[in-house]
Amino acid sequence: MTNWLPDITEGNGPIYLRLADSIEGAISDGILKAGSKLPPQRNLAYDLGVTIGTISRAYALIHERGLVSGEVGRGTYVNESKTPAPSSRIEPAASGFGGTRHPIETSAEFRLNTTAAPDVGQSVLITRHIEAVTRDHPFEVANYTRTLPDSWCMAGVRWLSQNGWSPKPENIVSTLGAHAAVMSVVTAMTAPGDRIVFEPLTYSHISRSAALAGRRVTLVEADEKGIVPDDFERVCAQQHPKMIFLMSAGQNPTCATLPEERRRAIADIARRYGVWIVEDNLYGAMTREAIPLIAEFAPDITFVIGGLSKSVSAGVRGGWVACPAQFSSRIRISHSMITGGLPFMLAELNARLVNSGDADDIRKDCIAEINQREAIARRVFTGLEFNSLPDIAFLWLRLPEPWLSGTFRNAAMKEGVLIDDEDEFKAGRTEKVFHRVRISFSGPPKREDLTHAFGTLRHLLDNGSAGYESEA
């Protein structure tokens, strides 16, 4: 598409948001049809008289909304819009980046783009605890949260403790999930304009949320073992970041686990350059690794994040932060400011789940189910290159020739299977192409459905030319 220009004079909010809305409107009105190529970012920036950064943010947002896809060197193209028949209609799918205003309408039958805890019947135990909370605390459930019971902190201690390391109760903050926990630390410990270091591939919801809050994203090199300490030191010396966000084990999406020597090195570098560390241990708590947390090597500068979404239930929004000494009050206030406050019902429910031991039992059942599903994945995708861990509900698959990440994701969607392409995990702009996709397997309720969805993907992978067929 070469002659079309968006109208950014209409609407409210920043320019990038108005631009994204204008593009979405053009797609909805049929002005930009499926397969149309959007103008190159540099050209559009020149034509509109704005910065390339503004165009980049707008393009990232419409990608989040599921309206476009693209590959480095090929450009950005409008996705095909499909309206499912009533008989096959399911609830709208969440976009890969999350937080979009308009969920994707899709007829996909199998959702292999979620790593939430699998259904192992945990709703029975959760229901019992909800009934007990409403019975025991009728006033608190009907009101704003006024108190912070010690049991909430003790639940955080119990859930975050690992390999002999255990935080102190006074350093625990209960949060509305792990994402809110991370962003509470980001907003409390950094200021707009500060740089935060991310791996090139990571949980991009955090990098995008940080950018929305005015923080600048800085990328550090990573290999099959995780962050490269030498490059982290280079970034610290040259760009003076204030914080680094990382997953030290079961990294999403690569499954990488940092060796102990790298954890020690990262802790040492961060301390020397005055960099705060946010150690997201959501997946690490599920793995069988016995490597010490980075927090053990740098307890004075490390915030450890944990929660229930991957191993117990995503719907209960349970999360905790273990803070360096004297910082829990600061993080608690930040969390209240950005979330509106912690709901008593959820905080009490999550504390009861953990303190009763029921959360541990559910986690064991979830991990056992994930083990079985990961074994199915290994069998179906044998002969292909991929990274996976027995206790983590996703694999990171390298695509065989001639597949590209975006085209494979689109081809899979046409066959009724939702997966995540590599762009969903890029923390910032990078010229590096990985030719990989993340395939998750905790979503389908039945293993038979999962096996069928895996078979569909395997058929596509073995018939790569289908990804480049075009309609007349």
Side-chain angles (χ1 to χ4, degrees):
M1 192 74 186
T2 56
N3 298 322
W4 173 83
L5 280 179
D7 181 6
I8 59 174
T9 61
E10 300 293 331
N12 299 315
I15 295 177
Y16 82 90
L17 182 58
R18 282 181 273 153
L19 174 56
D21 289 343
S22 178
I23 295 173
E24 181 174 353
I27 293 173
S28 298
D29 295 340
I31 299 172
L32 290 176
K33 301 183 182 301
S36 298
K37 183 178 181 180
L38 296 189
Q41 295 188 25
R42 187 175 298 277
N43 294 357
L44 188 57
Y46 178 82
D47 292 338
L48 296 179
V50 300
T51 66
I52 294 179
T54 297
I55 304 299
S56 177
R57 292 184 71 182
Y59 275 34
L61 188 55
I62 58 175
H63 190 287
E64 293 175 22
R65 296 176 184 175
L67 302 173
V68 297
S69 60
E71 296 285 341
V72 175
R74 294 182 58 248
T76 302
Y77 295 84
V78 176
N79 286 338
E80 181 180 357
S81 176
K82 298 177 67 176
T83 303
S87 60
S88 62
R89 180 69 174 247
I90 61 175
E91 292 300 314
S95 81
F97 288 125
T100 56
R101 295 187 299 110
H102 304 290
I104 301 172
E105 296 289 343
T106 176
S107 58
E109 185 178 0
F110 303 107
R111 299 182 177 232
L112 307 189
N113 64 343
T114 175
T115 60
D119 181 4
V120 292
Q122 57 267 65
S123 60
V124 175
L125 286 175
I126 292 173
T127 298
R128 293 175 186 170
H129 284 291
I130 290 175
E131 291 174 347
V133 173
T134 55
R135 180 185 65 246
D136 298 343
H137 299 281
F139 176 78
E140 288 84 353
V141 168
N143 212 320
Y144 292 110
T145 301
R146 304 295 186 187
T147 60
L148 299 172
D150 292 340
S151 59
W152 295 3
C153 295
M154 292 308 301
V157 170
R158 177 168 180 165
W159 196 250
L160 297 179
S161 296
Q162 182 172 318
N163 297 333
W165 175 84
S166 184
K168 295 181 179 180
E170 61 268 25
N171 295 334
I172 294 292
V173 176
S174 297
T175 63
L176 194 59
H179 181 100
V182 175
M183 289 309 301
S184 298
V185 176
V186 168
T187 53
M189 307 308 296
T190 66
D194 284 347
R195 292 187 179 275
I196 301 177
V197 177
F198 293 90
E199 296 160 272
L201 295 168
T202 188
Y203 175 57
S204 63
H205 289 64
I206 296 299
S207 63
R208 293 174 182 274
S209 296
L212 191 63
R215 277 62 173 176
R216 293 184 290 174
V217 173
T218 296
L219 302 184
V220 63
E221 286 186 12
D223 59 19
E224 69 280 0
K225 295 181 179 180
I227 290 173
V228 178
D230 287 347
D231 195 60
F232 178 46
E233 182 155 21
R234 177 192 63 80
V235 169
C236 289
Q238 295 180 358
Q239 303 195 40
H240 312 292
K242 296 295 184 183
M243 180 175 287
I244 180 172
F245 170 83
L246 55 82
M247 288 168 275
S248 53
Q251 202 268 0
N252 180 18
T254 68
C255 297
T257 293
L258 279 168
E260 181 173 339
E261 61 270 20
R262 290 200 184 189
R263 300 186 187 203
R264 290 182 181 273
I266 290 169
D268 177 64
I269 294 166
R271 181 178 286 109
R272 284 191 282 112
Y273 286 92
V275 178
W276 297 105
I277 300 171
V278 178
E279 186 173 12
D280 183 340
N281 199 43
L282 265 179
Y283 293 106
M286 298 174 67
T287 67
R288 299 167 182 171
E289 297 290 345
I291 307 173
L293 294 172
I294 295 175
E296 292 195 51
F297 308 129
D300 54 323
I301 58 172
T302 304
F303 296 83
V304 178
I305 309 296
L308 305 181
S309 60
K310 312 304 180 186
S311 55
V312 177
S313 171
V316 298
R317 306 304 298 154
W320 295 270
V321 187
C323 308
Q326 310 303 319
F327 283 100
S328 59
S329 178
R330 187 170 178 178
I331 301 305
R332 187 174 292 112
I333 292 171
S334 176
H335 179 268
S336 179
M337 292 298 100
I338 67 173
T339 66
L342 186 63
F344 181 90
M345 169 62 82
L346 291 181
E348 179 67 15
L349 168 64
N350 293 321
R352 291 189 179 212
L353 281 168
V354 172
N355 291 330
S356 66
D358 286 341
D360 287 314
D361 292 338
I362 295 171
R363 175 163 58 182
K364 291 175 183 176
D365 291 341
C366 285
I367 290 177
E369 178 64 25
I370 290 170
N371 290 167
Q372 295 294 322
R373 294 180 176 221
E374 196 261 354
I376 296 173
R378 284 189 171 276
R379 183 175 67 251
V380 174
F381 297 113
T382 185
L384 299 174
E385 181 182 347
F386 60 88
N387 303 343
S388 71
L389 293 170
D391 300 336
I392 303 299
F394 62 84
L395 60 87
W396 184 232
L397 175 73
R398 181 181 294 279
L399 296 169
E401 293 285 355
W403 283 111
L404 301 173
S405 182
T407 52
F408 184 73
R409 173 184 177 273
N410 290 340
M413 185 181 297
K414 289 180 180 179
E415 297 297 323
V417 182
L418 290 182
I419 60 172
D420 291 311
D421 63 24
E422 64 187 45
D423 285 348
E424 305 297 333
F425 305 99
K426 290 180 178 177
R429 295 189 62 182
T430 175
E431 298 302 317
K432 190 170 183 179
V433 179
F434 301 91
H435 300 304
R436 285 184 180 260
V437 293
R438 193 191 74 171
I439 301 173
S440 307
F441 39 82
S442 61
K446 300 178 181 179
R447 294 181 197 169
E448 308 90 85
D449 293 338
L450 181 67
T451 301
H452 180 79
F454 281 167
T456 299
L457 295 179
R458 182 64 198 245
H459 178 75
L460 283 174
L461 291 165
D462 291 341
N463 294 274
S465 59
Y468 295 89
E469 293 179 358
S470 59
E471 298 180 1

